[in-house]
Amino acid sequence: MDDVWDLVIVGGGPAGSAAALRAKQLRPAARVLLLDRADFPRDKACGDGVAAHGRDELALLGVPDLIADYRPTRRLEVVSPGGARVRATVARPNHVVPRTVFDARLVDAARARGVEVRRHRVRALTAHGGHVVVVDGDVAARAVVAADGANSTVRRLIGIPASPAGHTAIAVRGYADVPADDDVQFIAMQKDGWPAYAWSFPIGDGTANVGFGMLLPRLHATGLPGREVLHGRLAELLPHLPARDLRAHHLPLSPGRPRPGAGRVMLAGDAAGLVNPLTGEGIYYALVSGRLAGEAAVQAAGDPLPAYRHALRKALGRHLRTTDVLARAAQSPGFIDAAIGTAGRRQEVFDLLVDVGLGAGTVPLRLGWAVLGRWILNGVRRG
Ligand SMILES: Cc1cc2nc3c(=O)[nH]c(=O)nc-3n(C[C@H](O)[C@H](O)[C@H](O)COP(=O)(O)OP(=O)(O)OC[C@H]3O[C@@H](n4cnc5c(N)ncnc54)[C@H](O)[C@@H]3O)c2cc1C
């Protein structure tokens, strides 16, 4: 067996790399090992949308220019399930960066900071003397960050259940040709099987990431093969953008209160069920939670988990509870019609929706009432 590592991270996606980068940033002498079953670059089914909030995290991790060579996307257009449309400039630009590039750059940055990266699929964990975790009977660590994604093996090994089906979405993504000057992130919501939507996120190189996602129970309710439904609806909603390289994956949507780990194991990113239930955004949450887990691993005097739980609650607690409440309200397409309709009239509402959907935003009470009022009004008009 190796000596005891200060930190072993399972998974080299945004959550795992953020943990690695932060740990070495705070304690350059820390011995940090990053294990991933894949070699990088590797693909990951994703919309490739990196929100401005995610870029703030890159800056905090000491890699502010990681994606500076990608074109900023300033415009966002959303069509609600009932046809309300908003097209506006976002307060701060987003980026669209293929995950083959984004994740490999993060892993390279961690390696450059002194993190040891090994290709290895983790299968087993055992506690050893209460202070050390042994991974696959081979590697001993004072702390483990499980950043092994939506199907997390580590989460299962420590006995934390996966997201229930009602909190699981499934989405397919592909790539399509678009004019090189297309710089509008487009989201088309669908009433049939709601919540469901298609997106087109132009990268800036003449291609766009295009995709379609919906809740898993709604997909099952169709009684049709998943592939047929997902591919069919994508083609139906974006008929002018035939997609190639289609790949699907599920998304563990945040239930509002994540369970951040057990013992000396901290869950981060998708492994912790940290995906925004309104938008499917998960890269920002992965970066934040990974950063906080890496921080706790090298800074906490004793057991890092309480420190991590506290930091995560402070950073995202109120926001996650907000998105949980909004996701429940959003089960009614009329609520989203009202929210998008209001955003179309008031830039500050648009900005706030972006902040809640892509960052750590919460909703001021008066705004909640404004949307509620419109929702009721729409209902009265329809009735
Ligand atoms: C179709 C789709 C579209 C999406 N679009 C967006 C979007 O536009 N913007 C956004 O912000 N989010 C989006 N998301 C969500 C986003 O992809 C995830 O939230 C994000 O990838 C989570 O990062 P992570 O580091 O937690 O996990 P991942 O990126 O999944 O990384 C997990 C890593 O763990 C490794 N691993 C797994 N098991 C093991 C094991 N046993 N041993 C060792 N290594 C292991 C994997 O190889 C992988 O490298 C989308 C998701 C889907 C499915």
Side-chain angles (χ1 to χ4, degrees):
M1 199 185 297
D2 282 339
D3 301 336
V4 180
W5 293 82
D6 292 306
L7 172 60
V8 169
I9 299 158
V10 185
S17 289
L21 283 165
R22 188 58 161 181
K24 290 297 274 185
Q25 189 181 34
L26 294 177
R27 240 180 73 200
R31 295 190 64 228
V32 180
L33 174 64
L34 176 61
L35 304 172
D36 200 293
R37 66 182 177 197
D39 269 332
F40 288 80
R42 61 101 181 87
D43 190 16
K44 153 82 178 83
C46 187
D48 300 338
V50 182
H53 310 76
R55 270 198 352 276
D56 297 341
E57 283 298 314
L58 297 178
L60 283 175
L61 293 169
V63 287
D65 296 327
L66 193 87
I67 55 173
D69 54 330
Y70 276 79
R71 185 190 67 183
T73 310
R74 297 179 197 282
R75 289 188 297 161
L76 175 64
E77 179 171 357
V78 184
V79 183
S80 78
R85 185 180 290 262
V86 56
R87 184 178 198 161
T89 301
V90 287
R92 297 189 305 145
N94 301 312
H95 284 72
V96 185
V97 185
R99 292 289 298 272
T100 38
V101 176
F102 186 64
D103 292 25
R105 287 184 181 182
L106 279 168
V107 169
D108 282 347
R111 202 183 275 115
R113 209 170 271 180
V115 172
E116 182 163 335
V117 180
R118 289 186 198 162
R119 183 172 184 181
H120 178 84
R121 177 193 288 264
V122 170
R123 292 191 165 87
L125 283 188
T126 42
H128 190 79
H131 299 298
V132 169
V133 181
V134 179
V135 180
D136 287 341
D138 201 28
V139 170
R142 274 181 256 283
V144 169
V145 172
D148 49 344
N151 297 323
S152 175
T153 301
V154 177
R155 181 194 56 228
R156 192 165 32 78
L157 290 170
I158 61 172
I160 294 186
S163 300
H167 274 98
T168 303
I170 177 134
V172 67
R173 77 90 233 260
Y175 291 94
D177 294 329
V178 292
D181 62 353
D182 178 359
D183 65 347
V184 180
Q185 286 194 297
F186 177 64
I187 293 175
M189 299 174 173
Q190 191 177 42
K191 203 167 193 165
D192 180 19
W194 174 258
Y197 74 84
W199 70 82
S200 162
F201 293 168
I203 295 170
D205 63 353
T207 60
N209 180 308
V210 294
F212 172 83
M214 70 194 304
L215 280 181
L216 199 57
R218 301 281 203 281
L219 176 77
H220 290 154
T222 63
L224 297 167
R227 215 179 136 88
E228 191 179 308
V229 177
L230 296 174
H231 293 200
R233 291 196 182 204
L234 174 59
E236 183 190 325
L237 286 161
L238 302 177
H240 54 298
L241 295 175
R244 53 185 179 274
D245 300 335
L246 287 165
R247 228 180 133 171
H249 206 277
H250 67 271
L251 299 92
L253 305 178
S254 162
R257 288 174 201 274
R259 287 181 63 183
R264 301 215 140 229
V265 180
M266 294 170 277
L267 301 176
D270 279 13
L274 283 171
V275 173
N276 190 310
L278 296 164
T279 57
E281 194 281 343
I283 294 174
Y284 165 67
Y285 288 170
L287 292 170
V288 178
S289 57
R291 170 172 63 80
L292 296 174
E295 215 163 288
V298 297
Q299 283 196 326
D303 182 355
L305 184 56
Y308 174 52
R309 180 181 288 116
H310 177 75
L312 196 61
R313 197 180 295 144
K314 203 166 152 206
L316 292 178
R318 212 173 137 222
H319 163 74
L320 294 178
R321 288 193 298 280
T322 302
T323 55
D324 184 40
V325 171
L326 289 178
R328 286 165 205 265
Q331 295 291 319
S332 157
F335 177 81
I336 291 295
D337 290 335
I340 303 294
T342 311
R345 282 173 187 76
R346 293 169 56 181
Q347 179 73 31
E348 81 271 20
V349 176
F350 176 82
D351 292 343
L352 193 114
L353 287 183
V354 171
D355 212 30
V356 170
L358 302 181
T362 56
V363 179
L365 209 56
R366 60 180 172 76
L367 198 69
W369 283 116
V371 172
L372 201 66
R374 189 167 185 85
W375 183 19
I376 293 167
L377 199 70
N378 286 349
V380 169
R381 279 193 193 129
R382 271 197 304 273

